[in-house]
Amino acid sequence: MVSSALDAEEGRTVEPVPLGDVPPRDLIEAVRRHRVPELLGAHAPELGLPDEVVRVLDAMVAGSRQRRLVHSLETVRAWRLLDAAGIEALVFKGIPLALLTTGRPDARGAGDVDLLVRPEAAATAHRLLTGAGWALHERGRIEPDMWAWRHVQRWGHSLTYLGAGADVDLHWRLDAMPGAQPETTALLARSTSVTVGTTPIPTLAPADAFRHLAGHREGWIWLRTLVDLRRLARDPAVLDQDLPAPALVSLAVARATVGLPATVPAGVRAALDRIPDAVLARARADHEVPVAIFGGAHAAREVRNGMAAVRGPRDVQQLAMTLVLPAHAALPVRSATAWGGLPRAFALRTRRLVSRR
């Protein structure tokens, strides 16, 4: 159904997709699980969805309308806060990605506000966000003068700030693995702009947005991420770049699930044909995994994805630190120096590992 809806979005004629023996409640649960009510709801007539399903999809979309409005306001507020202080920042994913790929802010559901700043600006951005009402989780309220801040800055790539209207993810890199994504300075230099409400806001250039999503393998568990990849792949310039192996794998996963635009070059399709079937089978298996409301990738998946992104010695160091003392392990530690911080962080991590057994 998602593949057909995207065909319809691209102007092709599609046939209704019969439910067969699938109970409507199972379809609705899958739509919620994969975060695609906006897409299927917009093309319900072409898909031939039964009225009972359409009514639920309409209710889901209507229920998210107020959240999207608040998300739009918070997106503009967070970006303006940094911009007014002279911090160069862009906003990616969320509403900017919907506008970038479809021109419509309601084409995908709202989530967090993802900001990208230069690493040296992260401390100032932190103070601005906390001063404006956003707050780190109570178990990880670190400050720039703490050892944990320095550890997270070096080995991590983002911090999450909870807000009354929308949470903010502050990024200083797009990925913890240095070689996985271009340098932040380059991303900022070639950013493009979308208009959120009435405010022009910089966001990732389409090719950079594609490479980021294609390297974000945790996103495979949601069809919405693969929908975003297909939408971005409609732009010929997006595929006119040197695609690393992880990006090709993600593109192959998208083709195997939601399909790809007819405009994808033959050379890229040939490269996708060489992706092992076992990889695609693992991605399909991820679609069956229940998704927690909170929480990121499991450690094993994080390490596996990191290994695929290794490009040099610095990446090897990053992967080793992910195994020994990942960035998030430092968040509960409130110490000014490594002398006090490291022993406590290792003790906490050891305790957690033992308790899991």
Side-chain angles (χ1 to χ4, degrees):
M1 284 186 172
V2 168
S3 179
S4 293
L6 289 166
D7 284 342
E9 192 174 83
E10 291 163 6
R12 289 194 287 278
T13 301
V14 300
E15 297 294 329
V17 181
L19 275 177
D21 295 331
V22 177
R25 66 177 180 274
D26 287 355
L27 171 62
I28 291 167
E29 181 55 35
V31 170
R32 182 180 293 109
R33 157 72 170 76
H34 285 286
R35 305 180 178 184
V36 289
E38 295 84 3
L39 174 63
L40 295 193
H43 298 283
E46 299 101 308
L47 299 175
L49 294 178
D51 290 343
E52 59 185 308
V53 172
V54 174
R55 284 194 295 270
V56 176
L57 290 181
D58 287 346
M60 292 169 69
V61 172
S64 67
R65 193 169 292 126
Q66 185 66 28
R67 292 194 300 273
R68 187 169 55 251
L69 176 60
V70 173
H71 185 259
S72 296
L73 294 172
E74 292 292 83
T75 296
V76 172
R77 183 168 79 96
W79 177 78
R80 280 180 171 171
L81 181 71
L82 303 190
D83 185 62
I87 296 177
E88 188 178 7
L90 57 78
V91 189
F92 61 103
K93 296 199 296 187
I95 289 175
L97 180 59
L99 290 165
L100 187 69
T101 54
T102 69
R104 306 192 320 274
D106 59 351
R108 70 195 301 274
D112 301 333
V113 178
D114 288 272
L115 298 169
L116 178 67
V117 302
R118 300 176 193 274
E120 59 269 23
T124 303
H126 162 81
R127 295 187 180 98
L128 289 168
L129 290 170
T130 54
W134 282 284
L136 291 168
H137 190 279
E138 60 183 4
R139 292 188 178 181
R141 290 189 177 172
I142 60 176
E143 294 294 337
D145 58 349
M146 295 179 180
W147 165 80
W149 177 274
R150 297 189 292 274
H151 186 79
V152 171
Q153 272 273 292
R154 182 174 182 184
W155 302 109
H157 68 290
S158 67
L159 284 168
T160 297
Y161 297 77
L162 308 181
D167 297 343
V168 169
D169 284 343
L170 177 65
H171 300 252
W172 48 94
R173 288 189 294 273
L174 287 187
D175 196 287
M177 299 294 287
Q181 300 292 333
E183 293 286 340
T184 299
T185 300
L187 296 170
L188 291 169
R190 58 179 178 248
S191 65
T192 188
S193 179
V194 293
T195 301
V196 179
T198 59
T199 304
I201 288 182
T203 190
L204 289 172
D208 291 325
F210 175 85
R211 182 164 174 158
H212 169 245
L213 284 177
H216 187 49
R217 293 187 173 198
E218 185 186 355
W220 289 359
I221 62 177
W222 297 291
L223 284 181
R224 187 176 72 176
T225 302
L226 301 171
V227 167
D228 291 331
L229 285 177
R230 173 167 171 172
R231 284 170 166 169
L232 284 163
R234 294 168 183 166
D235 182 349
V238 162
L239 300 179
D240 188 22
Q241 61 174 315
D242 183 21
L243 297 175
L248 288 171
V249 169
S250 290
L251 201 58
V253 171
R255 183 175 69 168
T257 51
V258 303
L260 290 178
T263 54
V264 173
V268 174
R269 293 182 181 274
L272 303 185
D273 290 339
R274 295 191 288 271
I275 303 299
D277 290 340
V279 174
L280 305 181
R282 188 169 69 229
R284 291 191 188 96
D286 282 346
H287 297 164
E288 304 297 328
V289 177
V291 179
I293 297 176
F294 299 104
H298 293 294
R301 180 185 292 153
E302 191 175 340
V303 171
R304 185 180 68 212
N305 294 347
M307 290 177 65
V310 168
R311 293 291 180 273
R314 178 66 177 83
D315 291 338
V316 174
Q317 288 181 333
Q318 180 68 46
L319 185 61
M321 187 57 70
T322 300
L323 290 167
V324 177
L325 191 66
H328 63 78
L331 291 175
V333 178
R334 303 181 66 82
S335 173
T337 67
W339 294 105
L342 277 170
R344 289 184 60 193
F346 275 117
L348 287 171
R349 180 160 174 77
T350 301
R351 196 178 308 155
R352 288 197 194 97
L353 292 174
V354 171
S355 65
R356 288 175 183 172
R357 294 180 181 178

